Amino acid sequence: MSKVSYYTAEGLKKLKEELDHLKNVERPKASEAIAEARDKGDLSENAEYDAAKEAQGLLEMKISKMEDLVANARLIDESQLDVSKVLVLSTVKIKNQTNGMEMKYTLVAESEADLKTGKISVTSPIGKGLLGKSVGEIAEISVPNGTLKFEVLEISRD
């Protein structure tokens, strides 16, 4: 049994678009590559045919995994989320207690995480440490090089 994953409407749309691309663009390309390799003669000594079959197998495995993800995806209803605590889709302004640096992150599902745009996964160490915290609370987060302390300054929904 696969685990349920939570997505924003945007994240689920991207996942479905990628799956659609794999099925409707990549799958026909893989079949075409196999047909071309087959036309080149003896299959017992045709490395191109073997490589094309292997690539097709990997593609089918990826499609299968993505279909499973989509089947177990749940859309997050942002209107039902509590704004007094840090939850999935919370935008959190935090202050590092060690160096005084302030940062702003949005907590998202693992598949939507993108540090460049300020989106961190709720399953990351910082994401896990911030979940359930309220404004003014200190989150002590264990990371490989010690413990970080972050004060929650602000929680919002963007």
Side-chain angles (χ1 to χ4, degrees), residues 16-17 32 62 76 79 82 96 101-102 112 142 154:
K16 287 181 177 179
E17 285 172 357
E32 198 175 293
K62 187 173 182 180
I76 300 168
S79 66
D82 182 6
N96 187 323
M101 199 169 126
E102 290 185 8
E112 295 181 56
S142 294
E154 190 179 295

Side-chain angles (χ1 to χ4, degrees), residues 1-2 8 18 67 77 86-87 128 131 135 139:
M1 168 121 191
S2 293
T8 59
E18 186 180 346
E67 285 174 335
D77 182 1
V86 178
L87 302 169
K128 281 181 185 176
L131 282 176
V135 173

Side-chain angles (χ1 to χ4, degrees), residues 84-112:
S84 67
K85 291 189 181 303
V86 178
L87 302 169
V88 176
L89 298 184
S90 294
T91 298
V92 187
K93 187 174 181 183
I94 55 175
K95 181 177 182 180
N96 187 323
Q97 296 289 284
T98 308
N99 60 17
M101 199 169 126
E102 290 185 8
M103 296 155 283
K104 198 172 194 176
Y105 294 118
T106 301
L107 275 70
V108 295
E110 194 171 339
S111 59
E112 295 181 56

